[in-house]
Amino acid sequence: PAAAPAPAAEVRLPRWEVIGGVDKGGIMVRVGQDLKSPQTPDRLATGSLVEELELGGERLRYRLIEGSGPAEGWVSIRITGKDLLHRL
């Protein structure tokens, strides 16, 4: 009999930790990559862990893994030379 196929290796997406927004209760999240797209009502909390879904320049589309804030959205990884997220 033929051997069972090996299970597909789980693809682990890059993870990031939110390090910015300490004084503001987290960092701003937008619904789209464009900086003019609408903001979400909630911020992504400092200390949250997110998974990278897409990276476009300084903009990251994420999925929330741990912490509080919108389940998905777009954030800036850096503003005015200050890091808002740190890649793990």
Side-chain angles (χ1 to χ4, degrees), residues 18-80:
V18 181
I19 58 173
V22 175
D23 55 341
K24 296 184 175 124
I27 63 173
M28 187 189 317
V29 180
R30 294 189 182 271
V31 297
Q33 183 175 7
D34 194 307
L35 290 171
K36 294 185 177 84
S37 70
Q39 295 178 29
T40 61
D42 300 320
R43 287 177 171 261
L44 183 58
T46 306
S48 295
L49 295 179
V50 299
E51 198 169 51
E52 177 184 316
L53 300 177
E54 191 176 339
L55 188 60
E58 300 278 287
R59 301 287 288 159
L60 171 73
R61 185 165 72 94
Y62 74 87
R63 178 182 302 126
L64 183 64
I65 296 172
E66 188 180 298
S68 64
E72 287 191 15
W74 285 88
V75 292
S76 293
I77 57 173
R78 182 177 300 112
I79 52 170
T80 57

